[in-house]
Amino acid sequence: KAGVTQTPRYLIKTRGQQVTLSCSPISGHRSVSWYQQTPGQGLQFLFEYFSETQRNKGNFPGRFSGRQFSNSRSEMNVSTLELGDSALYLCASSLVGRVSDTQYFGPGTRLTVL
Amino acid sequence: AQRVTQPEKLLSVFKGAPVELKCNYSYSGSPELFWYVQYSRQRLQLLLRHISRESIKGFTADLNKGETSFHLKKPFAQEEDSAMYYCALLGSSNTGKLIFGQGTTLQVKP
């Protein structure tokens, strides 16, 4: 079956702009988590959505937001972009987010803020 | 605070040598721990989880609650094991929140 897909794969934006990233989970998966990966901070949890509801949130400012649709596809939005938002954004999906569920990661969206 | 620490950024060994990638955690409850691996130009993928007590590609990891550690071990390293390894802790039970360590690059030299 198809893996987790993320679009677009690469983005270049300028400071102050906003951006929307998309994640399509594996068919049947209802939990989608988002992570930010940077050389300095490593992999940091942004938020998790399950059944269209945000179930967990990491320590990121309110400029970072997300949502999940009824088909489990998820989007994350970053408003008023800052240089420090340049990162690889990963999403991961799992069946329902239980301990026994494997999280499958997408290839990521590389965001560059100029 | 929930935290995962991987003290080594880079671990370089020769083929056939034993490997131990260190991971320490801080968690107030009963931890659920994982090792993820990222090979060059590939996606991050699950290597093993402690609740399964399994051995994948010759790797094992034992949870030591006394030392709050979950070190990854392999008796004989292979060149194809060269990759980035991340230790991760499930932040809350029954959710998809993973807390990752900073990662260790394993380099296996021929």
PDB file of all heavy atoms in Angstrom, chain A residues 64-95:
ATOM      1  N   PHE A  64       2.155  28.381  14.463  1.00  0.00           N
ATOM      2  CA  PHE A  64       2.087  27.019  13.909  1.00  0.00           C
ATOM      3  C   PHE A  64       0.711  26.443  14.232  1.00  0.00           C
ATOM      4  O   PHE A  64       0.318  26.367  15.409  1.00  0.00           O
ATOM      5  CB  PHE A  64       3.169  26.138  14.523  1.00  0.00           C
ATOM      6  CG  PHE A  64       4.555  26.501  14.104  1.00  0.00           C
ATOM      7  CD1 PHE A  64       5.234  27.546  14.728  1.00  0.00           C
ATOM      8  CD2 PHE A  64       5.194  25.801  13.086  1.00  0.00           C
ATOM      9  CE1 PHE A  64       6.524  27.887  14.338  1.00  0.00           C
ATOM     10  CE2 PHE A  64       6.488  26.132  12.695  1.00  0.00           C
ATOM     11  CZ  PHE A  64       7.146  27.178  13.322  1.00  0.00           C
ATOM     12  N   SER A  65       0.010  26.049  13.224  1.00  0.00           N
ATOM     13  CA  SER A  65      -1.318  25.477  13.438  1.00  0.00           C
ATOM     14  C   SER A  65      -1.529  24.340  12.459  1.00  0.00           C
ATOM     15  O   SER A  65      -0.759  24.169  11.507  1.00  0.00           O
ATOM     16  CB  SER A  65      -2.399  26.541  13.254  1.00  0.00           C
ATOM     17  OG  SER A  65      -2.384  27.030  11.919  1.00  0.00           O
ATOM     18  N   GLY A  66      -2.566  23.584  12.707  1.00  0.00           N
ATOM     19  CA  GLY A  66      -2.832  22.470  11.810  1.00  0.00           C
ATOM     20  C   GLY A  66      -4.305  22.130  11.817  1.00  0.00           C
ATOM     21  O   GLY A  66      -5.100  22.712  12.551  1.00  0.00           O
ATOM     22  N   ARG A  67      -4.636  21.192  10.969  1.00  0.00           N
ATOM     23  CA  ARG A  67      -5.994  20.670  10.971  1.00  0.00           C
ATOM     24  C   ARG A  67      -5.986  19.311  10.288  1.00  0.00           C
ATOM     25  O   ARG A  67      -5.030  18.949   9.595  1.00  0.00           O
ATOM     26  CB  ARG A  67      -6.958  21.620  10.273  1.00  0.00           C
ATOM     27  CG  ARG A  67      -6.638  21.920   8.825  1.00  0.00           C
ATOM     28  CD  ARG A  67      -7.696  22.836   8.251  1.00  0.00           C
ATOM     29  NE  ARG A  67      -7.386  23.260   6.880  1.00  0.00           N
ATOM     30  CZ  ARG A  67      -8.270  23.868   6.088  1.00  0.00           C
ATOM     31  NH1 ARG A  67      -9.504  24.105   6.504  1.00  0.00           N
ATOM     32  NH2 ARG A  67      -7.924  24.228   4.863  1.00  0.00           N
ATOM     33  N   GLN A  68      -7.061  18.589  10.513  1.00  0.00           N
ATOM     34  CA  GLN A  68      -7.209  17.274   9.875  1.00  0.00           C
ATOM     35  C   GLN A  68      -8.612  17.197   9.285  1.00  0.00           C
ATOM     36  O   GLN A  68      -9.581  17.640   9.903  1.00  0.00           O
ATOM     37  CB  GLN A  68      -6.993  16.149  10.890  1.00  0.00           C
ATOM     38  CG  GLN A  68      -6.976  14.763  10.255  1.00  0.00           C
ATOM     39  CD  GLN A  68      -6.737  13.658  11.264  1.00  0.00           C
ATOM     40  OE1 GLN A  68      -7.201  13.744  12.403  1.00  0.00           O
ATOM     41  NE2 GLN A  68      -6.018  12.622  10.862  1.00  0.00           N
ATOM     42  N   PHE A  69      -8.672  16.605   8.128  1.00  0.00           N
ATOM     43  CA  PHE A  69      -9.942  16.488   7.423  1.00  0.00           C
ATOM     44  C   PHE A  69     -10.577  15.123   7.691  1.00  0.00           C
ATOM     45  O   PHE A  69      -9.942  14.223   8.256  1.00  0.00           O
ATOM     46  CB  PHE A  69      -9.708  16.705   5.926  1.00  0.00           C
ATOM     47  CG  PHE A  69      -9.101  18.048   5.614  1.00  0.00           C
ATOM     48  CD1 PHE A  69      -7.722  18.190   5.477  1.00  0.00           C
ATOM     49  CD2 PHE A  69      -9.897  19.182   5.491  1.00  0.00           C
ATOM     50  CE1 PHE A  69      -7.142  19.428   5.212  1.00  0.00           C
ATOM     51  CE2 PHE A  69      -9.329  20.422   5.230  1.00  0.00           C
ATOM     52  CZ  PHE A  69      -7.959  20.545   5.091  1.00  0.00           C
ATOM     53  N   SER A  70     -11.800  14.976   7.231  1.00  0.00           N
ATOM     54  CA  SER A  70     -12.538  13.741   7.510  1.00  0.00           C
ATOM     55  C   SER A  70     -11.887  12.516   6.859  1.00  0.00           C
ATOM     56  O   SER A  70     -12.083  11.387   7.307  1.00  0.00           O
ATOM     57  CB  SER A  70     -13.995  13.867   7.053  1.00  0.00           C
ATOM     58  OG  SER A  70     -14.051  14.165   5.683  1.00  0.00           O
ATOM     59  N   ASN A  71     -11.098  12.730   5.816  1.00  0.00           N
ATOM     60  CA  ASN A  71     -10.409  11.591   5.180  1.00  0.00           C
ATOM     61  C   ASN A  71      -9.029  11.361   5.801  1.00  0.00           C
ATOM     62  O   ASN A  71      -8.219  10.615   5.254  1.00  0.00           O
ATOM     63  CB  ASN A  71     -10.266  11.830   3.672  1.00  0.00           C
ATOM     64  CG  ASN A  71      -9.442  13.054   3.341  1.00  0.00           C
ATOM     65  OD1 ASN A  71      -8.997  13.774   4.252  1.00  0.00           O
ATOM     66  ND2 ASN A  71      -9.229  13.313   2.065  1.00  0.00           N
ATOM     67  N   SER A  72      -8.781  12.006   6.934  1.00  0.00           N
ATOM     68  CA  SER A  72      -7.534  11.901   7.721  1.00  0.00           C
ATOM     69  C   SER A  72      -6.362  12.682   7.143  1.00  0.00           C
ATOM     70  O   SER A  72      -5.317  12.772   7.805  1.00  0.00           O
ATOM     71  CB  SER A  72      -7.115  10.435   7.954  1.00  0.00           C
ATOM     72  OG  SER A  72      -8.053   9.787   8.763  1.00  0.00           O
ATOM     73  N   ARG A  73      -6.496  13.240   5.975  1.00  0.00           N
ATOM     74  CA  ARG A  73      -5.430  14.093   5.454  1.00  0.00           C
ATOM     75  C   ARG A  73      -5.260  15.282   6.392  1.00  0.00           C
ATOM     76  O   ARG A  73      -6.219  15.734   7.017  1.00  0.00           O
ATOM     77  CB  ARG A  73      -5.773  14.578   4.045  1.00  0.00           C
ATOM     78  CG  ARG A  73      -4.640  15.312   3.340  1.00  0.00           C
ATOM     79  CD  ARG A  73      -5.031  15.706   1.913  1.00  0.00           C
ATOM     80  NE  ARG A  73      -6.020  16.769   1.879  1.00  0.00           N
ATOM     81  CZ  ARG A  73      -5.748  18.070   1.948  1.00  0.00           C
ATOM     82  NH1 ARG A  73      -4.485  18.476   2.085  1.00  0.00           N
ATOM     83  NH2 ARG A  73      -6.708  18.961   1.888  1.00  0.00           N
ATOM     84  N   SER A  74      -4.018  15.724   6.500  1.00  0.00           N
ATOM     85  CA  SER A  74      -3.746  16.807   7.446  1.00  0.00           C
ATOM     86  C   SER A  74      -2.953  17.910   6.769  1.00  0.00           C
ATOM     87  O   SER A  74      -2.210  17.672   5.818  1.00  0.00           O
ATOM     88  CB  SER A  74      -2.971  16.255   8.650  1.00  0.00           C
ATOM     89  OG  SER A  74      -2.634  17.287   9.559  1.00  0.00           O
ATOM     90  N   GLU A  75      -3.149  19.098   7.242  1.00  0.00           N
ATOM     91  CA  GLU A  75      -2.371  20.250   6.795  1.00  0.00           C
ATOM     92  C   GLU A  75      -1.801  20.953   8.014  1.00  0.00           C
ATOM     93  O   GLU A  75      -2.407  20.947   9.091  1.00  0.00           O
ATOM     94  CB  GLU A  75      -3.261  21.256   6.042  1.00  0.00           C
ATOM     95  CG  GLU A  75      -3.712  20.806   4.671  1.00  0.00           C
ATOM     96  CD  GLU A  75      -4.557  21.847   3.969  1.00  0.00           C
ATOM     97  OE1 GLU A  75      -5.005  22.824   4.614  1.00  0.00           O
ATOM     98  OE2 GLU A  75      -4.781  21.678   2.755  1.00  0.00           O
ATOM     99  N   MET A  76      -0.623  21.534   7.823  1.00  0.00           N
ATOM    100  CA  MET A  76      -0.120  22.430   8.851  1.00  0.00           C
ATOM    101  C   MET A  76       0.173  23.787   8.209  1.00  0.00           C
ATOM    102  O   MET A  76       0.538  23.853   7.025  1.00  0.00           O
ATOM    103  CB  MET A  76       1.111  21.900   9.578  1.00  0.00           C
ATOM    104  CG  MET A  76       2.366  21.760   8.772  1.00  0.00           C
ATOM    105  SD  MET A  76       3.820  21.586   9.858  1.00  0.00           S
ATOM    106  CE  MET A  76       4.121  23.283  10.300  1.00  0.00           C
ATOM    107  N   ASN A  77      -0.021  24.807   8.969  1.00  0.00           N
ATOM    108  CA  ASN A  77       0.135  26.166   8.489  1.00  0.00           C
ATOM    109  C   ASN A  77       1.098  26.914   9.394  1.00  0.00           C
ATOM    110  O   ASN A  77       1.052  26.761  10.624  1.00  0.00           O
ATOM    111  CB  ASN A  77      -1.232  26.861   8.482  1.00  0.00           C
ATOM    112  CG  ASN A  77      -1.167  28.256   7.894  1.00  0.00           C
ATOM    113  OD1 ASN A  77      -0.834  29.208   8.586  1.00  0.00           O
ATOM    114  ND2 ASN A  77      -1.459  28.377   6.619  1.00  0.00           N
ATOM    115  N   VAL A  78       1.972  27.657   8.772  1.00  0.00           N
ATOM    116  CA  VAL A  78       2.852  28.530   9.555  1.00  0.00           C
ATOM    117  C   VAL A  78       2.637  29.948   9.039  1.00  0.00           C
ATOM    118  O   VAL A  78       2.807  30.209   7.840  1.00  0.00           O
ATOM    119  CB  VAL A  78       4.337  28.155   9.420  1.00  0.00           C
ATOM    120  CG1 VAL A  78       5.173  28.972  10.407  1.00  0.00           C
ATOM    121  CG2 VAL A  78       4.552  26.665   9.627  1.00  0.00           C
ATOM    122  N   SER A  79       2.238  30.826   9.925  1.00  0.00           N
ATOM    123  CA  SER A  79       2.005  32.210   9.523  1.00  0.00           C
ATOM    124  C   SER A  79       3.198  33.071   9.922  1.00  0.00           C
ATOM    125  O   SER A  79       3.998  32.687  10.777  1.00  0.00           O
ATOM    126  CB  SER A  79       0.726  32.739  10.177  1.00  0.00           C
ATOM    127  OG  SER A  79       0.870  32.737  11.579  1.00  0.00           O
ATOM    128  N   THR A  80       3.303  34.224   9.307  1.00  0.00           N
ATOM    129  CA  THR A  80       4.362  35.187   9.605  1.00  0.00           C
ATOM    130  C   THR A  80       5.716  34.485   9.747  1.00  0.00           C
ATOM    131  O   THR A  80       6.343  34.464  10.817  1.00  0.00           O
ATOM    132  CB  THR A  80       4.039  35.978  10.895  1.00  0.00           C
ATOM    133  OG1 THR A  80       2.654  36.285  10.955  1.00  0.00           O
ATOM    134  CG2 THR A  80       4.838  37.274  10.924  1.00  0.00           C
ATOM    135  N   LEU A  81       6.146  33.895   8.666  1.00  0.00           N
ATOM    136  CA  LEU A  81       7.367  33.090   8.683  1.00  0.00           C
ATOM    137  C   LEU A  81       8.579  33.865   9.176  1.00  0.00           C
ATOM    138  O   LEU A  81       8.757  35.055   8.874  1.00  0.00           O
ATOM    139  CB  LEU A  81       7.648  32.542   7.285  1.00  0.00           C
ATOM    140  CG  LEU A  81       6.774  31.372   6.848  1.00  0.00           C
ATOM    141  CD1 LEU A  81       6.891  31.153   5.349  1.00  0.00           C
ATOM    142  CD2 LEU A  81       7.156  30.106   7.604  1.00  0.00           C
ATOM    143  N   GLU A  82       9.410  33.150   9.938  1.00  0.00           N
ATOM    144  CA  GLU A  82      10.681  33.699  10.424  1.00  0.00           C
ATOM    145  C   GLU A  82      11.813  32.851   9.857  1.00  0.00           C
ATOM    146  O   GLU A  82      11.610  31.694   9.470  1.00  0.00           O
ATOM    147  CB  GLU A  82      10.710  33.662  11.950  1.00  0.00           C
ATOM    148  CG  GLU A  82       9.603  34.477  12.597  1.00  0.00           C
ATOM    149  CD  GLU A  82       9.622  34.357  14.120  1.00  0.00           C
ATOM    150  OE1 GLU A  82      10.492  33.646  14.656  1.00  0.00           O
ATOM    151  OE2 GLU A  82       8.746  34.991  14.755  1.00  0.00           O
ATOM    152  N   LEU A  83      13.019  33.427   9.836  1.00  0.00           N
ATOM    153  CA  LEU A  83      14.165  32.685   9.310  1.00  0.00           C
ATOM    154  C   LEU A  83      14.345  31.353  10.034  1.00  0.00           C
ATOM    155  O   LEU A  83      14.702  30.342   9.424  1.00  0.00           O
ATOM    156  CB  LEU A  83      15.443  33.530   9.438  1.00  0.00           C
ATOM    157  CG  LEU A  83      15.487  34.825   8.613  1.00  0.00           C
ATOM    158  CD1 LEU A  83      16.802  35.565   8.885  1.00  0.00           C
ATOM    159  CD2 LEU A  83      15.349  34.515   7.124  1.00  0.00           C
ATOM    160  N   GLY A  84      14.085  31.363  11.318  1.00  0.00           N
ATOM    161  CA  GLY A  84      14.270  30.166  12.123  1.00  0.00           C
ATOM    162  C   GLY A  84      13.272  29.055  11.827  1.00  0.00           C
ATOM    163  O   GLY A  84      13.415  27.949  12.353  1.00  0.00           O
ATOM    164  N   ASP A  85      12.285  29.336  11.006  1.00  0.00           N
ATOM    165  CA  ASP A  85      11.312  28.302  10.639  1.00  0.00           C
ATOM    166  C   ASP A  85      11.839  27.411   9.524  1.00  0.00           C
ATOM    167  O   ASP A  85      11.205  26.406   9.174  1.00  0.00           O
ATOM    168  CB  ASP A  85       9.989  28.937  10.198  1.00  0.00           C
ATOM    169  CG  ASP A  85       9.325  29.737  11.300  1.00  0.00           C
ATOM    170  OD1 ASP A  85       9.553  29.408  12.498  1.00  0.00           O
ATOM    171  OD2 ASP A  85       8.589  30.687  10.982  1.00  0.00           O
ATOM    172  N   SER A  86      12.979  27.765   8.978  1.00  0.00           N
ATOM    173  CA  SER A  86      13.590  26.927   7.932  1.00  0.00           C
ATOM    174  C   SER A  86      13.906  25.568   8.537  1.00  0.00           C
ATOM    175  O   SER A  86      14.626  25.471   9.539  1.00  0.00           O
ATOM    176  CB  SER A  86      14.881  27.570   7.410  1.00  0.00           C
ATOM    177  OG  SER A  86      14.601  28.755   6.717  1.00  0.00           O
ATOM    178  N   ALA A  87      13.365  24.530   7.942  1.00  0.00           N
ATOM    179  CA  ALA A  87      13.499  23.192   8.524  1.00  0.00           C
ATOM    180  C   ALA A  87      12.914  22.161   7.574  1.00  0.00           C
ATOM    181  O   ALA A  87      12.304  22.500   6.563  1.00  0.00           O
ATOM    182  CB  ALA A  87      12.760  23.112   9.863  1.00  0.00           C
ATOM    183  N   LEU A  88      13.107  20.912   7.951  1.00  0.00           N
ATOM    184  CA  LEU A  88      12.420  19.802   7.289  1.00  0.00           C
ATOM    185  C   LEU A  88      11.211  19.471   8.151  1.00  0.00           C
ATOM    186  O   LEU A  88      11.354  19.234   9.353  1.00  0.00           O
ATOM    187  CB  LEU A  88      13.338  18.585   7.174  1.00  0.00           C
ATOM    188  CG  LEU A  88      12.756  17.362   6.467  1.00  0.00           C
ATOM    189  CD1 LEU A  88      12.533  17.658   4.986  1.00  0.00           C
ATOM    190  CD2 LEU A  88      13.674  16.158   6.627  1.00  0.00           C
ATOM    191  N   TYR A  89      10.040  19.496   7.562  1.00  0.00           N
ATOM    192  CA  TYR A  89       8.819  19.195   8.307  1.00  0.00           C
ATOM    193  C   TYR A  89       8.358  17.796   7.914  1.00  0.00           C
ATOM    194  O   TYR A  89       8.085  17.515   6.747  1.00  0.00           O
ATOM    195  CB  TYR A  89       7.745  20.248   8.023  1.00  0.00           C
ATOM    196  CG  TYR A  89       8.106  21.574   8.652  1.00  0.00           C
ATOM    197  CD1 TYR A  89       8.879  22.507   7.967  1.00  0.00           C
ATOM    198  CD2 TYR A  89       7.719  21.869   9.959  1.00  0.00           C
ATOM    199  CE1 TYR A  89       9.249  23.701   8.559  1.00  0.00           C
ATOM    200  CE2 TYR A  89       8.092  23.067  10.556  1.00  0.00           C
ATOM    201  CZ  TYR A  89       8.866  23.967   9.852  1.00  0.00           C
ATOM    202  OH  TYR A  89       9.238  25.149  10.456  1.00  0.00           O
ATOM    203  N   LEU A  90       8.274  16.948   8.917  1.00  0.00           N
ATOM    204  CA  LEU A  90       7.897  15.558   8.712  1.00  0.00           C
ATOM    205  C   LEU A  90       6.513  15.304   9.271  1.00  0.00           C
ATOM    206  O   LEU A  90       6.164  15.830  10.335  1.00  0.00           O
ATOM    207  CB  LEU A  90       8.882  14.622   9.419  1.00  0.00           C
ATOM    208  CG  LEU A  90      10.324  14.631   8.950  1.00  0.00           C
ATOM    209  CD1 LEU A  90      11.185  13.768   9.877  1.00  0.00           C
ATOM    210  CD2 LEU A  90      10.427  14.100   7.529  1.00  0.00           C
ATOM    211  N   CYS A  91       5.762  14.484   8.572  1.00  0.00           N
ATOM    212  CA  CYS A  91       4.540  14.003   9.185  1.00  0.00           C
ATOM    213  C   CYS A  91       4.626  12.489   9.283  1.00  0.00           C
ATOM    214  O   CYS A  91       5.375  11.834   8.543  1.00  0.00           O
ATOM    215  CB  CYS A  91       3.297  14.456   8.443  1.00  0.00           C
ATOM    216  SG  CYS A  91       2.839  13.486   7.014  1.00  0.00           S
ATOM    217  N   ALA A  92       3.897  11.953  10.232  1.00  0.00           N
ATOM    218  CA  ALA A  92       3.879  10.516  10.463  1.00  0.00           C
ATOM    219  C   ALA A  92       2.439  10.102  10.706  1.00  0.00           C
ATOM    220  O   ALA A  92       1.681  10.822  11.344  1.00  0.00           O
ATOM    221  CB  ALA A  92       4.733  10.151  11.664  1.00  0.00           C
ATOM    222  N   SER A  93       2.090   8.943  10.201  1.00  0.00           N
ATOM    223  CA  SER A  93       0.744   8.449  10.453  1.00  0.00           C
ATOM    224  C   SER A  93       0.795   7.095  11.138  1.00  0.00           C
ATOM    225  O   SER A  93       1.758   6.328  10.995  1.00  0.00           O
ATOM    226  CB  SER A  93      -0.071   8.375   9.150  1.00  0.00           C
ATOM    227  OG  SER A  93       0.280   7.238   8.372  1.00  0.00           O
ATOM    228  N   SER A  94      -0.251   6.812  11.895  1.00  0.00           N
ATOM    229  CA  SER A  94      -0.410   5.498  12.511  1.00  0.00           C
ATOM    230  C   SER A  94      -1.896   5.214  12.592  1.00  0.00           C
ATOM    231  O   SER A  94      -2.721   6.111  12.394  1.00  0.00           O
ATOM    232  CB  SER A  94       0.245   5.445  13.892  1.00  0.00           C
ATOM    233  OG  SER A  94      -0.416   6.297  14.797  1.00  0.00           O
ATOM    234  N   LEU A  95      -2.208   3.981  12.930  1.00  0.00           N
ATOM    235  CA  LEU A  95      -3.617   3.591  12.941  1.00  0.00           C
ATOM    236  C   LEU A  95      -4.435   4.503  13.845  1.00  0.00           C
ATOM    237  O   LEU A  95      -5.337   5.201  13.398  1.00  0.00           O
ATOM    238  CB  LEU A  95      -3.748   2.131  13.379  1.00  0.00           C
ATOM    239  CG  LEU A  95      -3.517   1.092  12.294  1.00  0.00           C
ATOM    240  CD1 LEU A  95      -3.404  -0.303  12.899  1.00  0.00           C
ATOM    241  CD2 LEU A  95      -4.596   1.139  11.239  1.00  0.00           C
TER     242      LEU A  95
END
